[in-house]
Amino acid sequence: MKFTSGYWMVRDGVTPLYAVEYADHRVMGNELVVYAPSKHITDRGDCLNIGMLTVYLSSPAADVIQVSVRHFEGAVYHGPFAQINQANGCGEWVRIEETETELRYQSGNTTAVIDKRPNSWGIRFLDGERVLTDSAFRNMAYMKNTKTGKSYMLEQLALDVDEYVYGLGERFTPFVKNGQTVDMWNEDGGTASEIAYKNIPFYISNKGYGVLVDNEGDVSFEIASEKVERVQFSVQGERLDYYLINGSTPKGTVSKYTELTGKPALPPAWSFGLWLTTSFTTSYDEQTTSGFIKGMADRDIPLHVFHFDCYWMEAYEWCNFTWDPKTFPEPREMLRRYHEKGLRICVWINPYIGQKSPLFHEGMRHGYLVKKENGDVWQTDLWQAGMALVDFTNPAAAAWYQEKLKTLLDMGVDSFKTDFGERIPVRDIAYYDGSDPVKMHNYYTFLYNKTVFELLEKERGVGEAALFARSATVGGQQFPVHWGGDSSASYPSMAETLRGGLSLACAGFGFWSHDMGGFENTAPADVYKRWCQFGILSSHSRLHGSGSYRVPWMFDEEACDVMRKFVKMKCALMPYLYRQAVLAHQEGVPMMRPMFLEFPDDRACEPLERQYMFGDSLLVAPVFKESGEVEYYVPKGRWLNLLTGNTVEGGTWQKETHDYFSLPLLVRPGSILAVGSEVNRPDYAYYEDVTLFLYLPQDNSRAQTCVTDTTGHTVMQVDAQRAGDEIRVHVDSEKGSWKLKVLGEENLRMVEV
């Protein structure tokens, strides 16, 4: 939201109250409270009839500084609030110091410096002595709109000359957010607009720090757009809270952000295989779904999860959590047969209850549905006739919802696609726990996905829970997996999908997927095959669409060959990929990550949005052209294409042409790639007959890796170092068997194995 008109003027009807100078402070334990009046004080008389901002500085963890700016503190400040984890200890990482001209609030190696000089308000944030950003003249403010009567709090943090901003959720607009206006409001808008399903009020900078605005409402960001040298964020009300998070590097900051808001759970190994769905609005019954499964087996295409979309339930009754008896008369037996084929089962759900569903009257009778302020159940005809919302702020309602889903788990369902969660009303709404309806609009999805994920963990066990979720907010990364929403069957939509995934990765979402081939319309065979390459080389891989089936033989026979090749390759790569999944779970660094996150010192990586690192050792550049041409950037070093065996010298841009069985899939120099012996399943004993591919093209280079089992437990540690024409390798293994292979060079000897 913009409040000014150019540099000097404010917009018509807006009255600003800026922090102008330091007046006083108090220290309360590890909290610093600073008082900043709205004008320069020359004598006692100036203290009358003016406003003042009160600024609280605290620290929930080392190198994290919370800033809370308040105007009228008597205003009720309703939640919900994002769950912020407090570090163990009593704030021993905090130091507060004062000089004649400064107050210094230090957390770990990060310091907020408040300027005490008259008429010189400002807060500088430092990493050691390195300036990260600052709030200064006419930046921190309270704004009153006299036309609407609404009030807002805002902050403006400095951008450096060569500074880029990333993140703010799954955004399909350009990856670098400079110049954009971004509003935090979850909506069902597809992938082709500025609307997003997953709004996360957290951004990171290429300077290595991040900012989380701690407000679940409609936070508005102006990123070098209202003031080109500032990131502005504003919220309605009398209070604004934000966290300055300093991990020193972008990757370190993402990791620290997930320490605050929650690490991703580790998905089960089977979930990394190929998912196939019935697609949306298509006509299907058990004969259809069994035909799909048989068709994949007949073509030797490994399939691991089968998903039933909306119409597994009867129309108008979404959700009743009951199989439509006309199309699936014996669901329990059907699921048993599919399990015998080695498949896991996922079914579509959402948090909406249509009026025709028997659950509507049950939920209404017990008070489990979201109500209006007058006590009526809130209803709409959008999506399902007369539908209502489950009120997850009511613990009894959440338990009731879980009880209905447990019946499906007992029947043989393994996972849920938690669709929707964005169409949440805000006017005339009264939640069970008194939550602010505006803040609940985005936060609703957190409670929804948490409810379902916790049921899966309880019934299937920790490490066996996996969702396919569309909407999210702060902390949603704890409940994987998320997918990109409704894309179109085109190359531009494929590219915007990748941009969304890379932006979401900046908020620590470790596991992410998308609809291979696009959701809307039916892709030409060319787009389908290229999207399948990209989809298989994503953490999770699903064939899904609208109006037509997505089995590969519906496109052409070559699509079957492409799918077979890449699915089997992913299964073989699972020892490497699952190790990367464990790291995402432990450290909060996503499997699919932007190039600048992995190479923060390579300025050429900063704007890249059509390629990514798949874990720490593989570079992927999907092909977005029918011609097969692809341009991509390679960081310094000699990289090797895993598919072609060709080497590429880094620090350069490459332009290549690939057929449907190839694409840029490069092994990073200084890597050990663990590759398994199984090509038909993603869940197997990774440590049995594993091949350790050593790629050490430079003298004195060293590499390390681990191999885990399917619970994430490390069973094998590998260390290799090159000295001249020799590679010394040490393998420390609890169990398993392995062999070693050198990539790229034939004349190297391996010793001390």
Side-chain angles (χ1 to χ4, degrees):
M1 180 178 291
K2 294 180 172 66
F3 298 93
T4 58
S5 180
Y7 186 74
W8 301 109
M9 307 297 290
V10 294
R11 297 200 167 193
D12 186 38
V14 175
T15 301
L17 189 160
Y18 296 108
V20 169
E21 67 181 14
Y22 164 88
D24 195 6
H25 75 275
R26 291 175 182 166
V27 176
M28 299 187 294
N30 288 314
E31 186 175 60
L32 173 64
V33 186
V34 181
Y35 302 94
S38 60
K39 74 176 218 179
H40 173 53
I41 306 299
T42 58
D43 58 42
R44 289 187 175 186
D46 290 336
C47 298
L48 303 175
N49 302 314
I50 64 167
M52 182 170 66
L53 298 181
T54 306
V55 184
Y56 291 76
L57 279 74
S58 58
S59 178
D63 293 300
V64 179
I65 297 178
Q66 181 183 10
V67 181
S68 179
V69 188
R70 307 172 190 181
H71 179 231
F72 288 156
E73 292 197 60
V76 177
Y77 195 57
H78 287 293
F81 304 104
Q83 296 180 6
I84 302 296
N85 299 318
Q86 302 285 323
N88 293 328
C90 301
E92 60 269 15
W93 53 84
V94 172
R95 292 179 61 189
I96 303 174
E97 298 177 341
E98 181 181 7
T99 69
E100 186 176 341
T101 59
E102 293 180 342
L103 278 173
R104 298 178 68 91
Y105 185 92
Q106 184 172 351
S107 171
N109 198 48
T110 306
T111 306
V113 181
I114 294 94
D115 195 330
K116 291 174 58 183
R117 294 175 300 167
N119 215 19
S120 301
W121 171 257
I123 304 178
R124 287 180 297 131
F125 295 97
L126 309 178
D127 176 16
E129 296 302 317
R130 181 174 68 103
V131 177
L132 298 174
T133 187
D134 70 63
S135 173
F137 172 67
R138 295 177 64 179
N139 293 151
M140 183 183 290
Y142 169 79
M143 296 287 186
K144 185 76 173 183
N145 189 317
T146 56
K147 292 183 176 180
T148 64
K150 295 179 180 179
S151 57
Y152 302 86
M153 300 294 298
L154 69 87
E155 175 67 290
Q156 297 171 337
L157 296 180
L159 286 172
D160 215 336
V161 172
D162 52 358
E163 186 170 1
Y164 289 148
V165 169
Y166 310 87
L168 297 173
E170 184 189 49
R171 316 219 75 82
F172 307 105
T173 55
F175 180 51
V176 175
K177 298 302 180 286
N178 296 48
Q180 298 183 37
T181 296
V182 179
D183 293 322
M184 298 289 105
W185 198 250
N186 286 3
E187 291 186 78
D188 176 9
T191 67
S193 75
E194 62 184 0
I195 291 174
Y197 305 98
K198 308 171 188 69
N199 288 272
I200 316 294
F202 171 69
Y203 68 84
I204 60 176
S205 160
N206 58 343
K207 291 183 70 173
Y209 70 93
V211 174
L212 168 64
V213 180
D214 189 11
N215 190 298
E216 286 296 320
D218 188 10
V219 184
S220 181
F221 287 85
E222 299 287 345
I223 307 107
S225 47
E226 181 168 6
K227 287 187 177 179
V228 296
E229 61 200 42
R230 297 274 162 179
V231 176
Q232 174 179 295
F233 40 92
S234 59
V235 297
Q236 188 175 340
E238 301 283 331
R239 174 174 170 174
L240 169 63
D241 289 35
Y242 66 92
Y243 295 87
L244 190 291
I245 303 170
N246 176 31
S248 292
T249 65
K251 185 193 284 190
T253 292
V254 171
S255 181
K256 192 166 287 291
Y257 167 79
T258 57
E259 290 176 12
L260 287 179
T261 61
K263 303 288 187 187
L266 179 64
W270 56 260
S271 72
F272 290 82
L274 179 62
W275 298 50
L276 174 64
T277 89
T278 57
S279 289
F280 173 59
T281 72
T282 50
S283 177
Y284 56 87
D285 54 17
E286 184 179 350
Q287 182 178 357
T288 313
T289 57
S290 295
F292 290 160
I293 294 168
K294 184 176 185 300
M296 298 291 277
D298 289 346
R299 292 166 175 83
D300 190 27
I301 302 173
L303 180 65
H304 310 105
V305 185
F306 194 84
H307 167 72
F308 294 86
D309 217 59
C310 309
Y311 285 95
W312 69 274
M313 291 179 284
E314 189 176 346
Y316 299 116
E317 296 199 19
W318 302 341
C319 290
N320 61 14
F321 305 123
T322 302
W323 294 84
D324 184 348
K326 298 187 292 296
T327 51
F328 299 104
E330 296 180 335
R332 189 179 295 272
E333 286 302 305
M334 177 185 68
L335 298 188
R336 180 186 60 78
R337 289 191 290 271
Y338 289 175
H339 277 137
E340 289 174 353
K341 295 178 184 294
L343 294 172
R344 302 286 181 153
I345 302 299
C346 176
V347 296
W348 176 96
I349 63 171
N350 67 33
Y352 311 145
I353 309 294
Q355 186 169 288
K356 187 173 181 289
S357 168
L359 272 62
F360 177 87
H361 293 282
E362 184 179 339
M364 181 173 64
R365 184 169 64 253
H366 291 290
Y368 295 158
L369 306 178
V370 173
K371 295 179 180 179
K372 296 181 180 181
E373 291 178 343
N374 67 1
D376 292 348
V377 171
W378 177 88
Q379 291 182 262
T380 180
D381 285 332
L382 184 65
W383 184 244
Q384 292 286 281
M387 77 168 200
L389 290 170
V390 177
D391 187 348
F392 290 108
T393 72
N394 182 347
W400 171 74
Y401 192 80
Q402 288 178 328
E403 175 191 335
K404 304 304 178 184
L405 297 182
K406 184 178 181 301
T407 300
L408 293 166
L409 297 180
D410 293 341
M411 190 179 291
V413 169
D414 299 288
S415 178
F416 296 106
K417 173 183 171 180
T418 49
D419 205 353
F420 288 84
E422 309 95 357
R423 299 177 180 178
I424 310 302
V426 298
R427 293 187 177 89
D428 189 26
I429 297 298
Y431 281 96
Y432 174 85
D433 71 347
S435 286
D436 180 340
V438 172
K439 292 181 179 178
M440 271 301 299
H441 174 85
N442 286 353
Y443 196 71
Y444 185 92
T445 178
F446 181 89
L447 298 179
Y448 165 39
N449 283 296
K450 181 175 184 284
T451 297
V452 180
F453 196 84
E454 288 181 345
L455 171 70
L456 286 168
E457 285 195 322
K458 177 182 177 182
E459 296 298 321
R460 292 289 186 259
V462 174
E464 283 296 313
L467 304 179
F468 234 85
R470 188 172 76 173
S471 57
T473 187
V474 176
Q477 72 273 2
Q478 298 172 85
F479 318 122
V481 175
H482 293 80
W483 101 96
D486 297 347
S487 53
S488 298
S490 68
Y491 280 127
S493 193
M494 180 177 160
E496 74 203 14
T497 293
L498 176 54
R499 290 198 298 270
L502 295 181
S503 289
L504 189 65
C506 294
F509 281 72
F511 309 101
W512 174 81
S513 185
H514 42 94
D515 293 339
M516 289 191 285
F519 178 76
E520 293 290 350
N521 308 313
T522 300
D526 168 64
V527 171
Y528 179 85
K529 286 178 280 194
R530 293 298 185 191
W531 208 318
C532 286
Q533 293 179 324
F534 168 39
I536 299 301
L537 292 170
S538 301
S539 84
H540 288 74
S541 310
R542 184 180 73 160
L543 290 165
H544 180 64
S546 178
S548 63
Y549 307 128
R550 293 299 194 258
V551 288
W553 56 89
M554 293 287 184
F555 296 85
D556 61 26
E557 282 304 314
E558 187 179 49
C560 299
D561 299 334
V562 172
M563 183 66 71
R564 182 188 311 112
K565 173 186 173 71
F566 281 92
V567 173
K568 290 195 173 193
M569 181 184 71
K570 186 176 187 182
C571 290
L573 283 172
M574 277 303 295
Y576 164 75
L577 293 177
Y578 205 64
R579 168 60 179 162
Q580 300 302 314
V582 171
L583 290 174
H585 164 61
Q586 293 175 342
E587 300 176 4
V589 179
M591 288 185 68
M592 298 173 67
R593 61 191 69 153
M595 295 296 295
F596 87 95
L597 215 64
E598 193 67 27
F599 300 95
D601 297 324
D602 190 335
R603 300 308 301 268
C605 289
E606 292 175 344
L608 298 180
E609 61 180 20
R610 294 192 301 275
Q611 62 186 78
Y612 56 94
M613 291 297 293
F614 196 19
D616 52 30
S617 295
L618 291 177
L619 185 156
V620 181
V623 178
F624 294 104
K625 292 184 178 180
E626 186 176 358
S627 65
E629 291 181 328
V630 56
E631 278 190 280
Y632 63 100
Y633 175 78
V634 184
K636 289 181 181 179
R638 191 194 313 157
W639 296 62
L640 181 139
N641 191 311
L642 189 63
L643 298 172
T644 68
N646 297 330
T647 58
V648 177
E649 205 59 46
T652 60
W653 280 87
Q654 302 293 318
K655 188 173 184 179
E656 302 169 354
T657 300
H658 290 263
D659 63 22
Y660 297 116
F661 298 94
S662 178
L663 79 164
L665 177 60
L666 305 187
V667 182
R668 183 179 186 173
S671 295
I672 303 174
L673 208 62
V675 178
S677 57
E678 175 61 67
V679 296
N680 292 309
R681 297 205 60 81
D683 47 344
Y684 57 95
Y686 302 140
Y687 46 84
E688 294 291 350
D689 299 321
V690 62
T691 300
L692 302 170
F693 287 91
L694 311 177
Y695 186 52
L696 301 169
Q698 293 177 317
D699 193 15
N700 296 320
S701 56
R702 183 175 182 176
Q704 296 176 315
T705 194
C706 297
V707 178
T708 73
D709 59 20
T710 55
T711 70
H713 173 66
T714 296
V715 297
M716 187 179 296
Q717 294 180 313
V718 187
D719 188 297
Q721 186 169 8
R722 177 172 177 171
D725 291 335
E726 289 186 349
I727 295 181
R728 299 179 180 272
V729 185
H730 177 73
V731 180
D732 185 4
S733 179
E734 291 181 6
K735 54 184 175 180
S737 56
W738 67 91
K739 56 185 175 181
L740 299 165
K741 185 174 180 180
V742 177
L743 291 174
E745 297 181 72
E746 300 298 330
N747 60 339
L748 296 179
R749 294 190 305 115
M750 288 177 288
V751 297
E752 295 187 5
V753 176

